[in-house]
Structures are given as C-alpha cells and as structure tokens.
C-alpha cells in the first residue's frame, strides 16, 4: 500500500510542491463511521467526502501566504485518501496591492509592504474555533469527534494550523488528532506546562531551524516529530524527500479495521 501511494504521489507532476502526510498517526477506523453533514462556514472552501463514502477522518488543509485554497483542493482530489474527507480552506483576506488572487490568514504586511514580524492571529483563530465548534456539533450537525480532525498547513498555513490546535486545547476541548506543519513557526510562545495531546509533525528545511523553532512546538505539544528537509524553500519535492516522509508516516490502510 505504501509503495502504491508513493507512486501516486510521484506521478502528480503538477503538484510536486505540495504534500500532505500524517506521521505515526494511524487513522484506520475501528468502528463504523457515521454520516457527516457537509460543513457550513464563512470561509471560501472546498469539501470532498472520502472516495469510500465512509468518512472516519477529516483533514483540514491550510495554504501558505499569498495562495488560495485551489491547489490544496486539487491535491486532496488526487490523493483520494481512504476513509478521509478533506476540507480545503481559503484564508479570509486578500493580500493588499496584489491584483491576482492571493490570500493571507492574518494581516501580514505594514504600510511599506514589509512583513509584520509579530502578526496578530486572534481574529482568524476566533473564526476557525467557531468552525471547529460547528464541525464537532452532534447530528444533525457534522458530528465529528475532535480526535478525528487532522490539520495540515504549509508556511503561514502551518502556523495557523498549529495555533488553532493550541487555541482549541486551551478551551478545554478534546485534543485534535494531529497537525502537520511544513516550514511553519508558531506565533505564540507556549509554556512547558501547557502541552496538548495533539500529535505534530514539523517539517524543517536546512537553514530554517531557527525561524521555525521546533523547540517552541515541543513546549506546546506533547508529541512532536521533526522532519529534516533539504535546502531551498517550498513544499516537499523529489523522490528523496518523499522517501523521508514515507519513513515516518503510517498511511491510512485501505481496508477498514485491518
């Protein structure tokens, strides 16, 4: 199964800069999964039920700064993860002064067009927490359990995913299933005593160690795995990086309960 999934990934020539993975997180359903109502949200989004029509997991995807939800929507369709519905979200605001569609999860630039070093994610996190509350509302709501919800984000989207998992736990909620963040620092400064149970994989390229700050992730999350990547920006690329991911990933099994 792993080899067949790897062939699928490597064949996505138009998506070589994108990936999704869940390290050591076995999402295989152990009991029959209920039907989940499609989400209702103010975010521009794309929701795709699993190919098997049995949605036991929900993967929420967060794009990077200056992108849209469309590439991750295409990725989700191409991966066709078993027993996993996908929800690709678009950040709430357009990047100023750009004519083409380019979105940001929070206010990211000052009046001179320079990146804000300490942006404030509170407004976006409030909207995302409302979305999680909706997703975990029992039927006739979507009816997801928090542990069935998994987050994946790249760069600013990865930071957003990590901060959302922390904010959700601070409300006393059941921890989310997992977070996968590529080239993404946390904006907050968690204390050692507040570690949450959500599992995290943090992908770090050479030269990003200081900017990503895996130590901060370890303060906020009880179970963090660091994945070292090669030089250069962007998402995973090439066979070698895929193989590195494959070594630390337990993919969804095709058969239920196997």
């Amino acid at each position: 199964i792993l080899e067949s999934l790897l062939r699928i990934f490597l064949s996505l020539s138009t998506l070589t800069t994108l990936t999704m993975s869940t390290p050591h997180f076995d999402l295989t359903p152990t009991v029959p999964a209920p039907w989940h109502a499609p989400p209702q949200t103010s975010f521009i989004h794309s929701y795709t039920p699993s190919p098997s029509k049995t949605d036991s997991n929900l993967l929420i995807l967060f794009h990077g700064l200056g992108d849209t939800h469309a590439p991750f929507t295409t990725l989700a369709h191409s991966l066709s993860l078993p027993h996993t519905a996908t929800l690709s979200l678009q950040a709430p605001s357009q990047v100023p002064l750009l004519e083409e569609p380019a979105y940001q999860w929070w206010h990211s630039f000052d009046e001179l067009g320079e990146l804000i070093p300490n942006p404030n994610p509170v407004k976006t996190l409030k909207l995302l927490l409302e979305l999680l509350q909706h997703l975990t509302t029992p039927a006739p709501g979507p009816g997801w359990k928090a542990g069935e919800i998994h987050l994946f984000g790249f760069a600013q989207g990865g930071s957003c995913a990590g901060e959302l998992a922390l904010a959700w736990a601070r409300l006393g909620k059941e921890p989310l299933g997992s977070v996968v963040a590529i080239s993404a620092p946390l904006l907050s400064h968690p204390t050692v005593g507040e570690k949450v149970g959500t599992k995290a994989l943090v992908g770090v390229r050479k030269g990003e160690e200081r900017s990503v700050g895996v130590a901060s992730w370890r303060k906020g999350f009880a179970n963090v795995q660091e994945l070292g990547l090669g030089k250069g920006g962007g998402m995973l690329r090439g066979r070698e990086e895929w193989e590195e991911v494959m070594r630390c990933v337990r993919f969804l099994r095709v058969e239920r309960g196997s």
Side-chain angles (χ1 to χ4, degrees):
I1 295 172
L2 292 180
E3 292 178 357
S4 64
L5 284 172
L6 181 57
R7 286 196 295 271
I8 293 173
F9 291 146
L10 295 177
S11 70
L12 301 177
S13 58
T14 61
L15 294 169
T16 54
T17 61
L18 295 173
T19 185
M20 189 290 302
S21 59
T22 49
H24 298 297
F25 311 148
D26 187 354
L27 308 183
T28 305
T30 57
V31 296
W35 178 82
H36 298 282
Q40 302 295 320
T41 175
S42 60
F43 287 94
I44 295 175
H45 68 281
S46 177
Y47 176 75
T48 306
S50 69
S52 64
K53 308 301 182 184
T54 302
D55 298 333
S56 300
N57 317 285
L58 175 64
L59 176 69
I60 306 178
L61 302 105
F62 300 78
H63 64 76
L65 174 62
D67 207 345
T68 72
H69 74 303
F72 278 1
T73 298
T74 303
L75 175 65
H77 281 263
S78 301
L79 292 178
S80 297
L81 294 170
H83 313 303
T84 302
T86 57
L87 176 60
S88 180
L89 298 177
Q90 185 161 288
S93 61
Q94 168 76 20
V95 176
L97 304 180
L98 294 183
E99 295 182 359
E100 68 273 13
Y103 291 85
Q104 56 188 354
W105 290 101
W106 40 73
H107 187 54
S108 304
F109 299 93
D110 62 20
E111 294 78 3
L112 299 178
E114 299 292 332
L115 276 173
I116 298 173
N118 297 299
N120 186 352
V122 170
K123 183 177 179 180
T124 295
L125 290 178
K126 181 177 183 295
L127 295 174
L128 290 169
L129 287 171
E130 291 173 356
L131 172 60
L132 286 181
Q133 187 64 52
H134 164 68
L135 292 172
T136 55
T137 301
W144 293 99
K145 295 180 180 178
E148 299 170 336
I149 298 176
H150 305 266
L151 312 180
F152 168 77
F154 168 61
Q156 190 181 86
S159 299
C160 188
E163 294 295 344
L164 176 59
L166 290 173
W168 178 255
R170 287 169 185 152
L171 295 177
K173 304 289 189 179
E174 175 191 354
L176 301 177
S178 67
V179 177
V180 178
I182 307 298
S183 301
L186 288 175
L187 302 183
S188 60
H189 301 282
T191 61
V192 175
E194 72 169 308
K195 291 186 178 183
V196 304
T198 301
K199 300 175 183 178
L201 171 69
V202 183
V204 184
R205 292 200 172 280
K206 290 183 178 178
E208 291 182 341
E209 294 86 355
R210 185 172 182 179
S211 61
V212 170
V214 176
S216 291
W217 284 86
R218 295 192 190 282
K219 289 181 180 178
F221 295 85
N223 189 337
V224 177
Q225 180 171 352
E226 179 180 353
L227 174 63
L229 303 172
K231 293 182 179 180
M235 288 292 296
L236 302 184
R237 55 183 181 272
R239 180 176 295 275
E240 289 186 2
E241 290 192 353
W242 279 110
E243 289 177 346
E244 284 298 317
V245 173
M246 298 296 286
R247 290 190 185 100
C248 65
V249 168
R250 180 182 294 174
F251 278 102
L252 308 183
R253 297 172 184 167
V254 174
E255 298 298 329
R256 287 175 55 79
S258 61

